[in-house]
């Protein structure tokens, strides 16, 4: 960080931060990037040093200069006091929930959460006497009415996984904080570049680094950032589990971080372009993209976010499953697969109905999620156009 004459560091803007954070070239013979430190054992010069643990690194499970470089960079990016780096986004969700939970606790989790989050709550935390109650993502400040004496955390995810509901994060955070409840957000879609989680009132923020931070579909990584109030508790819980990420993956993520602003900007622009184009298609009933004025959460998105990333969903008009499948199978540039945030476009048919409990998911037709990559948008539209032609062929095919 640059210093002014008083020695205080100047606050850099996000794009600059992404190029500067987590680097100290002259600690590494001038090489621009931090090296990959692999190691389990860390040696101490003397017994006194060992007994006093008087050095920044003491054992591999607690981190290396490479993982620490990414953690420190992410803290700057997220506006956090500390960050813990773990091997996947789901591990980050588990770490955040374990940091803010105890036996007998009650958790409030948005009904629109990433479904493995629900599985962790219902399949693991429940075994330790933790009760999870799912709430309507659009609840806003009425969440106050669900907070009990035993409530220890409220988890948000905005936009919701697949279904894309936007939550009133500041209102929910304020209601939770008034009762001393930990405010957690899964901020993977927006990243701190488009939604500063701690500035908006969250105590712990989860990021699947697998997605936009890595950006290349070649690593799994998770980050939990904490404000000053929760930083110590987070670090303590992290150390108890020793679930650190590998230095090689941290190094790849640091590499991804340097181009993250550019990729996100371009993928956000391209996705919005494709979303608008799809909204005008006769085969499409609705496009679930918060930057579209037709989205029910558009006003909240506009108030709280500084942009949109590359993921959105669509609902087709009532279409036989077979025709919707033919559309997806016909696409050449959209891979069919889980995850997202890489440089390549993806499509995923989905159905939230089986796991929703607080709200009903009953769209008029088949639902598809898109992740837009870095291809030329004109090619993507041609590919979708060909897919729709296949869909129409299916509908007008010979009756059986
Ligand atoms: C992908 C994803 C995760 C999990 O990340 P992994 O690294 O795949 O475990 C968590 N939350 C959200 C919102 C995601 O989309």
């Amino acid at each position: 960080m640059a210093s002014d004459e008083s020695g205080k560091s100047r606050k850099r803007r996000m794009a600059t931060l992404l190029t500067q954070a987590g680097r100290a070239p002259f600690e590494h013979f001038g090489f621009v990037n931090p090296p990959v430190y692999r190691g389990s054992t860390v040696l101490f010069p003397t017994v006194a040093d060992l007994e006093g643990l008087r050095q920044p690194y003491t054992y591999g499970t607690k981190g290396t200069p490479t993982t620490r470089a990414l953690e420190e960079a992410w803290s700057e990016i997220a506006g956090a006091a500390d960050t813990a780096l773990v091997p996947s986004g789901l591990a980050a969700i588990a770490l955040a929930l374990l940091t803010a939970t105890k036996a007998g606790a009650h958790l409030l989790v948005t009904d629109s959460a990433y479904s493995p989050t629900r599985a962790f709550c219902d399949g693991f935390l429940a075994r330790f006497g933790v009760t999870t109650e799912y709430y309507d993502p659009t609840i806003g400040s009425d969440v106050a009415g669900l907070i009990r004496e035993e409530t220890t955390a409220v988890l948000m995810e905005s936009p919701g996984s697949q279904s894309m509901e936007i939550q009133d994060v500041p209102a929910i955070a304020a209601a939770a904080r008034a009762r001393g409840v930990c405010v957690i957000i899964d901020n993977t879609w927006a990243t701190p570049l488009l939604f500063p989680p701690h500035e908006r009132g969250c105590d712990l923020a989860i990021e699947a680094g697998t997605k936009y931070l890595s950006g290349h579909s070649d690593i799994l990584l998770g980050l939990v950032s904490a404000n000053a109030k929760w930083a110590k508790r987070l670090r303590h819980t992290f150390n108890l589990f020793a679930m650190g990420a590998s230095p090689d993956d941290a190094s790849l993520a640091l590499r991804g971080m340097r181009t993250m602003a550019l990729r996100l900007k371009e993928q956000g622009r391209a996705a919005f372009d494709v979303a608008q184009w799809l909204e005008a298609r006769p085969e499409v009933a609705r496009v679930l993209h918060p930057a579209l004025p037709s989205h029910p959460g558009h006003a909240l998105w506009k108030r709280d976010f500084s942009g949109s990333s590359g993921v959105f969903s669509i609902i087709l008009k009532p279409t036989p499953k077979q025709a919707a499948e033919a559309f997806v199978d016909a696409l050449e540039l959209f891979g069919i697969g889980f995850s997202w945030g890489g440089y390549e476009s993806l499509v995923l048919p989905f159905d939230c109905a089986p796991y929703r409990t607080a709200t009903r998911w009953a769209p008029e037709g088949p639902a598809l999620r898109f992740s837009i990559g870095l291809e030329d948008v004109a090619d993507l539209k041609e590919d979708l156009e060909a897919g729709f032609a296949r869909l129409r062929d299916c509908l007008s095919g010979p009756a059986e």
Side-chain angles (χ1 to χ4, degrees):
M1 230 188 226
S3 298
D4 61 20
E5 279 156 55
S6 65
K8 266 197 279 172
S9 52
R10 228 177 298 148
K11 195 165 158 48
R12 297 297 197 186
R13 293 165 186 83
M14 187 60 82
T16 311
L17 209 51
L18 290 164
T19 71
Q20 296 289 312
R23 298 204 287 122
F26 296 102
E27 287 175 20
H28 311 292
F29 306 101
F31 284 95
V32 170
N33 294 298
V36 177
Y37 281 86
R38 294 199 187 92
S40 49
T41 301
V42 179
L43 302 179
F44 299 82
T46 67
V47 174
D49 290 310
L50 175 91
E51 285 174 349
L53 293 175
R54 281 199 302 248
Q55 53 192 41
Y57 300 94
T58 55
Y59 191 57
T61 54
K62 296 205 160 59
T64 65
T66 316
T67 57
R68 197 64 203 149
L70 179 56
E71 289 178 339
E72 283 175 2
W74 195 258
S75 294
E76 282 190 60
I77 290 161
D82 195 13
T83 296
L85 185 67
V86 293
S88 71
L90 186 52
I93 291 165
L95 175 62
L97 287 169
L98 288 164
T99 298
T101 313
K102 57 185 180 184
H106 171 250
L107 299 177
L108 287 166
V109 172
T110 177
D111 208 30
S112 58
Y114 178 62
S115 70
T117 302
R118 302 177 77 108
F120 182 75
C121 292
D122 301 336
F124 183 82
L125 291 178
R127 282 171 28 206
F128 301 88
V130 175
T131 312
T132 303
E133 180 176 348
Y134 297 94
Y135 64 89
D136 182 334
T138 63
I139 196 168
S141 56
D142 288 347
V143 76
L146 300 180
I147 296 172
R148 305 178 191 165
E149 203 56 51
E150 324 81 75
T151 308
T152 60
V154 174
L155 186 140
M156 293 179 272
E157 186 177 325
S158 181
S161 266
Q162 304 179 329
S163 49
M164 303 295 290
E165 298 91 340
I166 296 287
Q167 298 197 258
D168 191 339
V169 175
I172 293 172
R177 282 186 160 195
R179 300 280 301 272
V181 170
C182 182
V183 183
I184 307 175
I185 190 164
D186 185 333
N187 197 36
T188 299
W189 181 87
T191 83
L193 277 63
L194 305 177
F195 185 93
H198 302 294
E199 210 179 282
R200 299 273 183 275
C202 301
D203 295 306
L204 298 174
I206 295 153
E207 183 75 27
T210 307
K211 311 283 170 59
Y212 287 116
L213 172 61
S214 113
H216 293 73
S217 307
D218 54 1
I219 53 166
L220 292 159
L221 213 57
L223 305 103
V224 184
S225 57
N227 60 12
K229 187 176 169 203
W230 282 87
K232 225 175 132 186
R233 188 87 182 257
L234 172 69
R235 183 58 56 183
H236 179 68
T237 310
F238 171 83
N239 283 336
L240 291 173
F241 278 87
M243 58 172 167
S246 97
D248 297 85
D249 290 343
S251 178
L252 283 169
L254 281 162
R255 189 186 228 259
M257 188 180 86
R258 308 302 175 197
T259 57
M260 190 179 172
L262 270 176
R263 285 186 284 104
L264 208 56
K265 202 166 161 181
E266 174 56 18
Q267 286 173 267
R269 184 200 65 76
F272 186 58
D273 185 340
V274 174
Q276 281 178 309
W277 183 84
L278 284 167
E279 196 170 42
R281 292 290 312 191
E283 300 86 352
V284 176
R286 285 183 289 143
V287 177
L288 310 179
H289 188 308
L292 289 171
S294 58
H295 191 278
H298 181 66
L300 284 177
W301 171 81
K302 214 165 161 178
R303 186 193 69 188
D304 294 340
F305 292 69
S306 59
S308 49
S309 67
V311 174
F312 66 91
S313 297
I314 66 168
I315 310 295
L316 293 172
K317 286 191 181 153
T319 309
K321 190 172 182 291
Q322 222 181 348
E325 268 179 36
F327 166 72
V328 172
D329 287 343
L331 300 176
E332 291 178 357
L333 296 176
F334 293 83
I336 304 168
F338 299 109
S339 201
W340 42 263
Y343 59 83
E344 83 294 6
S345 290
L346 296 173
V347 61
L348 184 77
F350 70 90
D351 180 10
C352 305
Y355 53 80
R356 288 291 178 114
T357 51
T359 52
R360 210 164 83 86
W361 174 257
E364 53 274 58
L368 301 171
R369 185 186 70 191
F370 289 96
S371 174
I372 302 299
L374 291 167
E375 303 88 349
D376 192 305
V377 170
D379 286 328
L380 293 179
K381 287 178 186 168
E382 277 177 24
D383 200 33
L384 291 165
E385 185 91 57
F388 283 126
R390 186 73 68 83
L391 186 153
R392 282 194 304 274
D393 287 349
C394 236
L395 295 180
S396 60
E400 283 163 62

